Amino acid sequence: MNTVLAKALRDDTDFKLELELVAGAAGLRREIDHVRTQRPGLALTGFTASLQPGRMQVVGATEISYLASLEGDARRDAVDYLGSVNIPCLVVTSALVPQAELIALCERLELPLFRTPLVTHIFTSRVHQFLDEHLSPEVSMHGVLLDVFGVGVLLTGPSGVGKSECALDLVLRGHRLVADDVIQVKRRSGYLEGFSPQITKHHMEVRGLGIINAADLFGAASVRDRKRVELVVEMAEWRNDDQYDRLGVDELYETILEVGVAKVRLPIRPGRNVASIVEVAARNQLLKLRGHNAAVNFKEALEKRLMRGTVESE
Amino acid sequence: MSARIRRSVRVSNDLGLHLRAAGVLVQMAGGFACEITLERDGAGGQRANAKSIMSVLALAAGRGTALTVEAEGSDAERAVEALCALIDRGFES
């Protein structure tokens, strides 16, 4: 499982979390492994069963005003409940001032205590993006990722099958390159997002020409930085004994990071215009996403006709 | 016979795995029949297909980067030997 150090929260600038460290600097190497935050709420009353280890705790107005309503030992006890579970860090929102007891606990347990001027719902929404970015599973894949008519198409296949050449064809037709050869794929909630490693972004290699920059050659509209992966097109050398789909009624899927993505297998041979076929595959995928499946409709129309034929012959 | 060979090597030249160096490496890797992978050592070690220029460049392996060269196939032994030697001598041909 991926984890992110509490330190990364302090150092973050991308997600505008606006955190300052109040106490517990010695614990900055504690690990967060849960993609969602938690409000300690009832835990302050002693009901700690719901507190989850590894999960960031967001302390808002409810918690701070509850602590303010307690005095002396009662307040210290309430704070101590938080220390009974191995949580990675606490964040006080809305520029609220944490009580001295809370600060003392965090120093003693070496538990980072942060503070942000952001109100709770804004902080929570930003920090969830931060956690998604750091904790989502990621895999590196071989192929080319393009945006074809708005459909994220991942071309795969063995080296030398012509993926980059096909991608170049598609870019020349006005489609957009996301990543060539090395594609980082990240799982988001229920879908996959692909992007290029920073260093090779917008570049592609064309045998005989070397490395080219698609954004410079074809303009800013010919590239994009990230795209949802919606269709895998697997390119393979044409083999007469292999069975290619002749009907398109059964749907193929490729599973990437436990997410299923629609897939087509394209046999390649000289003279076959692969870019055109990929364009059609993307258009077909768009129709399917809108609930229109040409192959299935055709099958149903045919079956209806056959049924009628059966009745007439009786 | 298909053996899998792994060997560690450190990028020692000043510029690291720069563009020309990557070109030489990919050319050399392409001369072998086996599959060759470069892996950055350490947690979450990024992997690159040694026969693909974009893949090798995406590693962005600077001076001092520890890599593992891994090959699988009939000429894996020779491939690992040759690539490690190339990296060791700073990509000088």
Side-chain angles (χ1 to χ4, degrees), chain B residues 36-64:
Chain B
I36 313 171
T37 310
L38 303 180
E39 185 180 329
R40 189 186 268 274
D41 289 3
Q46 198 186 349
R47 291 167 69 86
N49 174 359
K51 297 185 184 188
S52 152
I53 185 79
M54 298 298 274
S55 184
V56 169
L57 290 173
L59 271 184
R63 182 190 166 96

mmCIF file of all heavy atoms in Angstrom, chain B residues 36-64:
data_model
loop_
_atom_site.group_PDB
_atom_site.id
_atom_site.type_symbol
_atom_site.label_atom_id
_atom_site.label_comp_id
_atom_site.label_asym_id
_atom_site.label_seq_id
_atom_site.Cartn_x
_atom_site.Cartn_y
_atom_site.Cartn_z
ATOM 1 N N ILE B 36 15.495 -6.602 -22.373
ATOM 2 C CA ILE B 36 16.394 -5.962 -21.415
ATOM 3 C C ILE B 36 15.660 -4.817 -20.710
ATOM 4 O O ILE B 36 15.017 -3.996 -21.349
ATOM 5 C CB ILE B 36 17.655 -5.407 -22.105
ATOM 6 C CG1 ILE B 36 18.253 -6.460 -23.048
ATOM 7 C CG2 ILE B 36 18.673 -4.960 -21.075
ATOM 8 C CD1 ILE B 36 19.362 -5.941 -23.926
ATOM 9 N N THR B 37 15.777 -4.802 -19.399
ATOM 10 C CA THR B 37 15.120 -3.774 -18.601
ATOM 11 C C THR B 37 16.148 -3.080 -17.716
ATOM 12 O O THR B 37 17.038 -3.726 -17.183
ATOM 13 C CB THR B 37 14.064 -4.423 -17.689
ATOM 14 O OG1 THR B 37 13.248 -5.269 -18.485
ATOM 15 C CG2 THR B 37 13.193 -3.390 -17.032
ATOM 16 N N LEU B 38 16.007 -1.766 -17.588
ATOM 17 C CA LEU B 38 16.809 -1.029 -16.611
ATOM 18 C C LEU B 38 15.882 -0.680 -15.463
ATOM 19 O O LEU B 38 14.766 -0.236 -15.695
ATOM 20 C CB LEU B 38 17.364 0.269 -17.205
ATOM 21 C CG LEU B 38 18.226 0.166 -18.463
ATOM 22 C CD1 LEU B 38 18.664 1.555 -18.890
ATOM 23 C CD2 LEU B 38 19.432 -0.703 -18.195
ATOM 24 N N GLU B 39 16.373 -0.881 -14.253
ATOM 25 C CA GLU B 39 15.524 -0.572 -13.103
ATOM 26 C C GLU B 39 16.282 0.328 -12.145
ATOM 27 O O GLU B 39 17.421 0.050 -11.784
ATOM 28 C CB GLU B 39 15.121 -1.877 -12.412
ATOM 29 C CG GLU B 39 14.141 -1.667 -11.295
ATOM 30 C CD GLU B 39 13.756 -2.989 -10.625
ATOM 31 O OE1 GLU B 39 13.746 -4.028 -11.305
ATOM 32 O OE2 GLU B 39 13.501 -2.950 -9.415
ATOM 33 N N ARG B 40 15.630 1.420 -11.778
ATOM 34 C CA ARG B 40 16.223 2.334 -10.806
ATOM 35 C C ARG B 40 16.130 1.664 -9.432
ATOM 36 O O ARG B 40 15.061 1.194 -9.052
ATOM 37 C CB ARG B 40 15.412 3.627 -10.814
ATOM 38 C CG ARG B 40 15.987 4.762 -10.051
ATOM 39 C CD ARG B 40 14.969 5.872 -10.059
ATOM 40 N NE ARG B 40 15.166 6.787 -11.182
ATOM 41 C CZ ARG B 40 16.005 7.825 -11.132
ATOM 42 N NH1 ARG B 40 16.687 8.066 -10.045
ATOM 43 N NH2 ARG B 40 16.130 8.620 -12.163
ATOM 44 N N ASP B 41 17.231 1.599 -8.705
ATOM 45 C CA ASP B 41 17.210 0.925 -7.404
ATOM 46 C C ASP B 41 16.435 1.744 -6.381
ATOM 47 O O ASP B 41 16.338 2.956 -6.502
ATOM 48 C CB ASP B 41 18.641 0.677 -6.905
ATOM 49 C CG ASP B 41 19.333 -0.402 -7.730
ATOM 50 O OD1 ASP B 41 18.707 -0.885 -8.691
ATOM 51 O OD2 ASP B 41 20.484 -0.739 -7.425
ATOM 52 N N GLY B 42 15.913 1.068 -5.388
ATOM 53 C CA GLY B 42 15.206 1.747 -4.307
ATOM 54 C C GLY B 42 13.711 1.524 -4.400
ATOM 55 O O GLY B 42 13.223 0.861 -5.313
ATOM 56 N N ALA B 43 13.002 2.132 -3.436
ATOM 57 C CA ALA B 43 11.559 1.907 -3.332
ATOM 58 C C ALA B 43 10.840 2.357 -4.594
ATOM 59 O O ALA B 43 11.163 3.386 -5.169
ATOM 60 C CB ALA B 43 11.013 2.656 -2.130
ATOM 61 N N GLY B 44 9.889 1.581 -5.040
ATOM 62 C CA GLY B 44 9.077 1.928 -6.209
ATOM 63 C C GLY B 44 9.891 2.014 -7.483
ATOM 64 O O GLY B 44 9.552 2.752 -8.391
ATOM 65 N N GLY B 45 11.022 1.283 -7.520
ATOM 66 C CA GLY B 45 11.987 1.361 -8.623
ATOM 67 C C GLY B 45 11.364 1.463 -9.999
ATOM 68 O O GLY B 45 10.709 0.542 -10.472
ATOM 69 N N GLN B 46 11.577 2.604 -10.654
ATOM 70 C CA GLN B 46 11.056 2.830 -12.000
ATOM 71 C C GLN B 46 11.779 1.907 -12.966
ATOM 72 O O GLN B 46 12.978 1.710 -12.863
ATOM 73 C CB GLN B 46 11.329 4.289 -12.353
ATOM 74 C CG GLN B 46 10.512 4.821 -13.491
ATOM 75 C CD GLN B 46 10.967 6.226 -13.851
ATOM 76 O OE1 GLN B 46 11.726 6.860 -13.135
ATOM 77 N NE2 GLN B 46 10.501 6.705 -14.977
ATOM 78 N N ARG B 47 11.052 1.334 -13.925
ATOM 79 C CA ARG B 47 11.655 0.417 -14.887
ATOM 80 C C ARG B 47 11.584 0.984 -16.292
ATOM 81 O O ARG B 47 10.651 1.707 -16.626
ATOM 82 C CB ARG B 47 10.937 -0.934 -14.845
ATOM 83 C CG ARG B 47 11.194 -1.709 -13.553
ATOM 84 C CD ARG B 47 10.232 -2.865 -13.416
ATOM 85 N NE ARG B 47 10.488 -3.902 -14.405
ATOM 86 C CZ ARG B 47 11.373 -4.882 -14.246
ATOM 87 N NH1 ARG B 47 12.097 -4.950 -13.160
ATOM 88 N NH2 ARG B 47 11.541 -5.790 -15.187
ATOM 89 N N ALA B 48 12.578 0.664 -17.096
ATOM 90 C CA ALA B 48 12.591 1.143 -18.475
ATOM 91 C C ALA B 48 12.984 0.012 -19.410
ATOM 92 O O ALA B 48 13.835 -0.803 -19.079
ATOM 93 C CB ALA B 48 13.571 2.298 -18.619
ATOM 94 N N ASN B 49 12.347 0.006 -20.567
ATOM 95 C CA ASN B 49 12.704 -0.928 -21.615
ATOM 96 C C ASN B 49 13.976 -0.398 -22.287
ATOM 97 O O ASN B 49 13.966 0.668 -22.876
ATOM 98 C CB ASN B 49 11.537 -0.994 -22.610
ATOM 99 C CG ASN B 49 11.860 -1.831 -23.818
ATOM 100 O OD1 ASN B 49 12.968 -2.361 -23.958
ATOM 101 N ND2 ASN B 49 10.891 -1.957 -24.701
ATOM 102 N N ALA B 50 15.068 -1.157 -22.178
ATOM 103 C CA ALA B 50 16.366 -0.673 -22.658
ATOM 104 C C ALA B 50 16.405 -0.509 -24.170
ATOM 105 O O ALA B 50 17.318 0.108 -24.706
ATOM 106 C CB ALA B 50 17.474 -1.608 -22.199
ATOM 107 N N LYS B 51 15.423 -1.047 -24.884
ATOM 108 C CA LYS B 51 15.417 -0.923 -26.342
ATOM 109 C C LYS B 51 14.593 0.266 -26.813
ATOM 110 O O LYS B 51 14.419 0.480 -28.003
ATOM 111 C CB LYS B 51 14.880 -2.216 -26.975
ATOM 112 C CG LYS B 51 15.774 -3.408 -26.676
ATOM 113 C CD LYS B 51 15.302 -4.641 -27.397
ATOM 114 C CE LYS B 51 16.174 -5.821 -26.984
ATOM 115 N NZ LYS B 51 15.895 -7.014 -27.781
ATOM 116 N N SER B 52 14.013 0.992 -25.866
ATOM 117 C CA SER B 52 13.171 2.133 -26.224
ATOM 118 C C SER B 52 13.798 3.431 -25.739
ATOM 119 O O SER B 52 14.010 3.629 -24.543
ATOM 120 C CB SER B 52 11.787 1.958 -25.611
ATOM 121 O OG SER B 52 11.203 3.221 -25.388
ATOM 122 N N ILE B 53 14.077 4.329 -26.664
ATOM 123 C CA ILE B 53 14.756 5.582 -26.308
ATOM 124 C C ILE B 53 13.915 6.417 -25.341
ATOM 125 O O ILE B 53 14.413 6.939 -24.355
ATOM 126 C CB ILE B 53 15.142 6.387 -27.582
ATOM 127 C CG1 ILE B 53 15.969 7.626 -27.224
ATOM 128 C CG2 ILE B 53 13.942 6.815 -28.403
ATOM 129 C CD1 ILE B 53 17.401 7.347 -26.945
ATOM 130 N N MET B 54 12.603 6.522 -25.598
ATOM 131 C CA MET B 54 11.755 7.342 -24.727
ATOM 132 C C MET B 54 11.704 6.770 -23.323
ATOM 133 O O MET B 54 11.706 7.492 -22.335
ATOM 134 C CB MET B 54 10.339 7.423 -25.296
ATOM 135 C CG MET B 54 10.256 8.067 -26.650
ATOM 136 S SD MET B 54 10.813 9.772 -26.639
ATOM 137 C CE MET B 54 9.308 10.566 -26.182
ATOM 138 N N SER B 55 11.667 5.446 -23.261
ATOM 139 C CA SER B 55 11.598 4.779 -21.972
ATOM 140 C C SER B 55 12.875 5.015 -21.171
ATOM 141 O O SER B 55 12.837 5.348 -19.987
ATOM 142 C CB SER B 55 11.355 3.290 -22.235
ATOM 143 O OG SER B 55 11.192 2.603 -21.052
ATOM 144 N N VAL B 56 14.023 4.895 -21.854
ATOM 145 C CA VAL B 56 15.314 5.100 -21.183
ATOM 146 C C VAL B 56 15.454 6.556 -20.740
ATOM 147 O O VAL B 56 15.898 6.860 -19.629
ATOM 148 C CB VAL B 56 16.483 4.685 -22.112
ATOM 149 C CG1 VAL B 56 17.813 5.130 -21.542
ATOM 150 C CG2 VAL B 56 16.469 3.176 -22.334
ATOM 151 N N LEU B 57 15.013 7.486 -21.600
ATOM 152 C CA LEU B 57 15.106 8.911 -21.254
ATOM 153 C C LEU B 57 14.208 9.259 -20.070
ATOM 154 O O LEU B 57 14.551 10.096 -19.249
ATOM 155 C CB LEU B 57 14.734 9.774 -22.458
ATOM 156 C CG LEU B 57 15.752 9.771 -23.604
ATOM 157 C CD1 LEU B 57 15.205 10.525 -24.798
ATOM 158 C CD2 LEU B 57 17.077 10.363 -23.151
ATOM 159 N N ALA B 58 13.052 8.579 -19.995
ATOM 160 C CA ALA B 58 12.106 8.871 -18.908
ATOM 161 C C ALA B 58 12.696 8.509 -17.544
ATOM 162 O O ALA B 58 12.243 9.003 -16.522
ATOM 163 C CB ALA B 58 10.794 8.141 -19.131
ATOM 164 N N LEU B 59 13.707 7.652 -17.536
ATOM 165 C CA LEU B 59 14.365 7.305 -16.270
ATOM 166 C C LEU B 59 15.063 8.525 -15.673
ATOM 167 O O LEU B 59 15.186 8.639 -14.462
ATOM 168 C CB LEU B 59 15.429 6.227 -16.503
ATOM 169 C CG LEU B 59 15.057 4.761 -16.428
ATOM 170 C CD1 LEU B 59 16.327 3.935 -16.598
ATOM 171 C CD2 LEU B 59 14.392 4.405 -15.120
ATOM 172 N N ALA B 60 15.549 9.424 -16.555
ATOM 173 C CA ALA B 60 16.284 10.620 -16.122
ATOM 174 C C ALA B 60 17.314 10.248 -15.067
ATOM 175 O O ALA B 60 17.327 10.777 -13.958
ATOM 176 C CB ALA B 60 15.319 11.692 -15.613
ATOM 177 N N ALA B 61 18.192 9.298 -15.414
ATOM 178 C CA ALA B 61 19.177 8.799 -14.456
ATOM 179 C C ALA B 61 20.408 9.691 -14.463
ATOM 180 O O ALA B 61 21.209 9.668 -15.388
ATOM 181 C CB ALA B 61 19.547 7.358 -14.805
ATOM 182 N N GLY B 62 20.556 10.499 -13.436
ATOM 183 C CA GLY B 62 21.706 11.402 -13.324
ATOM 184 C C GLY B 62 22.914 10.676 -12.764
ATOM 185 O O GLY B 62 22.844 9.484 -12.435
ATOM 186 N N ARG B 63 24.019 11.404 -12.644
ATOM 187 C CA ARG B 63 25.250 10.841 -12.101
ATOM 188 C C ARG B 63 24.971 10.253 -10.716
ATOM 189 O O ARG B 63 24.310 10.871 -9.886
ATOM 190 C CB ARG B 63 26.290 11.961 -11.992
ATOM 191 C CG ARG B 63 27.631 11.500 -11.492
ATOM 192 C CD ARG B 63 28.509 12.718 -11.179
ATOM 193 N NE ARG B 63 29.665 12.283 -10.400
ATOM 194 C CZ ARG B 63 30.855 12.009 -10.961
ATOM 195 N NH1 ARG B 63 31.027 12.164 -12.238
ATOM 196 N NH2 ARG B 63 31.851 11.599 -10.203
ATOM 197 N N GLY B 64 25.488 9.055 -10.484
ATOM 198 C CA GLY B 64 25.359 8.432 -9.174
ATOM 199 C C GLY B 64 24.131 7.538 -9.034
ATOM 200 O O GLY B 64 23.970 6.862 -8.028
#
